[in-house]
Amino acid sequence: MHAPRSADLLFAQLAAAGRAAKRPWAVDHESAAVTVKDGQVNCGEIAEAARRLARTVAERGVREGDLCVVRLEKPLDILVAVAGLTGLGAVPVLLSARLDAMTARAALEPVTAPLHLLVTASRTADLADCHPIDGARMTWEDVISAVPAGERAELPAHGVERAPGRPYLVTHTSGTTGVPKLVVHTRNSFYQQSAVQTRMLRPMFLNGYLAAAISPVHVRTLSGLLSALRLRHSVLLLASEDSDRVGEQLERWRPEYLETHPNTYITWEGLADSGAMSSVRMFLGTFDAMHPRTVDAMLRGSRRRLAMFTEVYAQSELGPIAFRARTRRIGRFRRGVGAELAGHRVGRAIPGYSRIRVVDAWGNRVPRGAGGRIQVRSKGRFAGYLNFPERATENLFEGGWWDSGDWGARTATGALRLHDRQTERLAGATSGIALEDVLLDRMPELAEAVVLEEGGRLLPVLASRSAEPVTDERWRTATGDLPPLAPPRFVARADIPRTATGKVRREVLRHRLNS
């Protein structure tokens, strides 16, 4: 297994890609750190901005090994900050701008290590009274406009060299069930998560832009950007997930690769018929389950003969766990309702990177087809939680097996079916996720379906595409052969509480419905 050096990581690879770039990157947003001209930015300028930032924060007191909370909004700014801090050997602690101030403070409160802070001027009040932040408090606008003084803080060409097992960056989990956990990635775990993505992308021989509209502070985004840099791909970096704005960008830059959050893909289904996705050869979805209906829509939207949609089952703590690829002709079979409700198919483990087992409460493997706890061994496993260190040991079992917190089953051929989170298992159905798949597949007029359990009954929470709810007759026709369901509750899609990556916060939704 290759042990990464600084030359393999973001700071150095940005500079190397800038020197070898055949064309600029494309973006849909401005940046205080680099010049964006006509929607384009030079990769070499991003690298130079990262170098300037590293020298400036060093002059403000940030040192190798220090933790620095980063709470910025724009993807380009976040990339510059992460590359600059890691080039210095400091460790960025990334908090999504979509987290409310109370949640951001709650995530940091348990941290005992001293912290610096780098934040936009508009958000300085969010963490003003957060006690772990006792180092430099820096505003983004001030730092990025400062001119580094002298050569005292000059960096090595590839950045500061640190051991592969040392922390590299800290990202956070979705926080669907409470306060997000701060996930510590070492230089090695981050590199391994990127390396497997590089290995999966290389055979695709993509020549066009790689377009991404995903959470810019997530480890999947940053490890994916490192893969794109190593393969010298040009990136279309999108800050907006609005379908109209995204459609304009897709039509302008004609990317060959497209990725966003699964629940954002749902809102993009209308783009499939507009021609905006006609150039896309590879779609990718992770962060959450991809509903089959949405996958079908994306593949219809491509005009490429061998268009493919790859769904990746992954976790922040591990990187990619399993994957399943579909084309228009392969992977979409109409089965009986029993098979459809048996679980959401997520494919197989990634050879040479991950292994999967399904076990009972005592860690014994269960027979194929039986439900159990999904446990994983991964080359990209994280080092622990910065804010809740005890929780990492609770989920780690003998032999390096990590309990994912999910419940599922292996099929007779070894593929994995995902049922639900272990804490969200339903008594009235094998898999709430699979039941949601079926509801959305049968009822195209729905924009969202969430199945909760209330008082021993399955409660469908539905959002229509239009202002009109589904009629009773339509509902009975679509659900007659499904497990018994309570009368559906209709809400506006915008009123469904979500995480920074679009996952439904089910407990928060349940509380709102009952209040």
Side-chain angles (χ1 to χ4, degrees), residues 193 218 220 285-288 311-323 346 350 404 406 503:
Q193 290 194 23
H218 199 279
R220 186 274 163 284
T286 184
F287 296 102
D288 204 357
E311 179 178 358
V312 179
Y313 169 52
Q315 282 195 339
S316 298
E317 293 90 340
L318 305 171
I321 297 169
F323 75 103
V346 293
I350 300 169
S404 67
D406 290 330
K503 292 183 179 180

Side-chain angles (χ1 to χ4, degrees), residues 75 98 212-218 220-222 237-239 241 257 259-261 284 286-287 500-501:
R98 295 185 181 182
I214 50 181
S215 170
V217 299
H218 199 279
R220 186 274 163 284
T221 308
L222 295 163
L237 198 56
L238 300 171
E241 297 173 17
Y257 171 101
E259 178 178 359
T260 191
H261 313 116
L284 190 139
T286 184
F287 296 102
T501 56

